[in-house]
Amino acid sequence: MLTLGNGPLSMHPPQRVNYRLDGPAHKLMMTPFPRRVRAILGGETVLDTRDGQLLYESALLPQLYVPEVDIRLDLMHPTDHTTHCPFKGDASYWTIRVGDRAADNAVWGYPQPNPAATWLAGYRAFYWDRLDAWFDEDEEVFGHLRDPYTRVDVVASSRHIRVLAGDRVIVETSAPKVLSETGLPNRYYLPRDAVGADLLERSDTSMYCPYKGRSTYWSLRVGDELIPDVAWSYEQPLRDAGDVAGHLCFLHDRLVIEADGSPPA
C-alpha cells in the first residue's frame, strides 16, 4: 500500500532507492479510480461517478473524492460543522437527506483548499458507513473500495509451522498457505483439520476485509480456560484469497507461532 507501512508515500518510505522524493513528510497524491462507483441512501442514488479520484495521504487509507457534478446536490444540506487539516485546509460538511432519512455530516469537501492541494476544489468525500450501499461497477463492496495498489497473493508452502499455548502444541503442520498482502506481514493459514475439533469454539466476533472477505473468529479451549479470538478464518473468501478457505490463521499474545523453528519474519 502506498501510504502505510514502508510504502513510498508513507511516513517511513524505503531507503534503498535510486531516486529522491522531495516534499513534506506528510504527502498527498490524487489519482483516478479506474471504475464506476455508486452509493445509495434510502433507495436513492446519491452519487454515480466514472471520474472518482482516490486521495492517497501518508498514514491513512486512500479516500474516494467525487466530482460535485456526479453528486445529487439537491440532497446535500450544508451544516455548521467544520474541521481543519494542516495539509488540505478547512473542510465544510453536508448532511444527506432522503425522505425521513438523514446522514448527518456524512459529506465533506474543501471549497478553498490549501495552495498545495488546489485540485481538491470541486470534489467531495463521503463517510462510507453512513450510506446504505456502495457499488464498484455492479458489484456491491463493503468496508471501503479496493485500492488498485494493494494485492493479495496466496501460495502453498512446506514451511514447518507450530502454534503453542504455553508448552502445549495446538497445531503443527508442514502444509500451510502463505497469504501476502501489500503493506502487511505474511500470515500463515493452517489446515483446519490439523487442529483438534475439541480445541476451538466459534466466537461472535466478525470483521470484514475488502480484499479477503468476512472473517469468522475462533476461541481456544485450554483445560477450563477459554482464550477468546485466537484465530480467524474466511468461510467464503473473495477471489484473491480463495485458497485460504478451510484454513485458520492464528495470532494472539497468549500464543507462540513458529515457522521452521523461529518466529515468523
Side-chain angles (χ1 to χ4, degrees):
M1 193 172 291
L2 295 179
T3 57
L4 302 177
N6 66 341
L9 300 182
S10 72
M11 305 298 287
H12 305 285
Q15 299 300 306
R16 296 177 178 177
V17 298
N18 68 346
Y19 59 83
R20 179 178 176 180
L21 289 179
D22 292 325
H26 192 99
K27 298 178 177 63
L28 303 174
M29 182 183 79
M30 203 170 190
T31 186
F33 185 75
R35 295 182 294 275
R36 178 189 183 193
V37 180
R38 292 173 291 140
I40 295 172
L41 178 70
E44 291 282 350
T45 298
V46 299
L47 69 92
D48 186 344
T49 185
R50 292 173 172 82
D51 296 307
Q53 304 284 320
L54 281 181
L55 178 68
Y56 292 87
E57 185 170 358
S58 295
L60 298 174
L61 289 171
Q63 172 67 53
L64 180 74
Y65 278 75
V66 181
E68 290 177 345
V69 295
D70 294 335
I71 298 170
R72 283 282 305 275
L73 297 179
D74 59 308
L75 302 177
M76 307 290 144
H77 300 270
T79 74
D80 294 332
H81 183 60
T82 63
T83 57
H84 176 75
C85 171
F87 312 105
K88 301 188 290 292
D90 293 316
S92 298
Y93 285 76
W94 292 264
T95 288
I96 310 172
R97 290 200 178 96
V98 178
D100 59 357
R101 294 282 305 280
D104 294 331
N105 294 316
V107 186
W108 73 92
Y110 295 90
Q112 295 181 313
N114 286 350
T118 55
W119 24 264
L120 286 171
Y123 289 86
R124 297 185 190 180
F126 292 71
Y127 284 111
W128 188 277
D129 59 356
R130 298 188 192 178
L131 299 182
D132 293 337
W134 288 81
F135 293 87
D136 182 343
E137 293 291 342
D138 290 334
E139 181 176 313
E140 187 172 5
V141 289
F142 304 89
H144 58 76
L145 288 173
R146 290 188 284 271
D147 176 9
Y149 293 101
T150 295
R151 63 174 293 162
V152 172
D153 290 306
V154 180
V155 296
S157 174
S158 59
R159 290 186 184 230
H160 184 211
I161 307 298
R162 293 203 313 165
V163 179
L164 301 96
D167 295 329
R168 183 174 182 179
V169 177
I170 302 304
V171 57
E172 185 168 7
T173 181
S174 293
K177 303 286 189 181
V178 181
L179 186 145
S180 299
E181 184 172 352
T182 305
L184 297 175
N186 283 341
R187 299 298 185 201
Y188 294 95
Y189 283 75
L190 314 181
R192 187 176 300 172
D193 58 13
V195 187
D198 59 330
L199 295 180
L200 294 179
E201 296 183 13
R202 186 167 180 157
S203 164
D204 291 333
T205 303
S206 180
M207 300 181 69
Y208 192 86
C209 169
Y211 307 99
K212 300 187 291 293
R214 184 162 297 283
S215 61
T216 297
Y217 274 73
W218 302 86
S219 299
L220 176 67
R221 175 70 65 183
V222 179
D224 295 331
E225 183 181 9
L226 188 68
I227 307 175
D229 297 340
V230 300
W232 66 86
S233 62
Y234 292 95
E235 307 302 298
Q236 295 180 310
L238 298 179
R239 289 183 293 272
D240 289 348
D243 285 346
V244 300
H247 289 66
L248 295 161
C249 184
F250 287 82
L251 186 67
H252 195 277
D253 58 10
R254 294 278 301 276
L255 302 180
V256 173
I257 301 168
E258 296 178 346
D260 293 332
S262 301

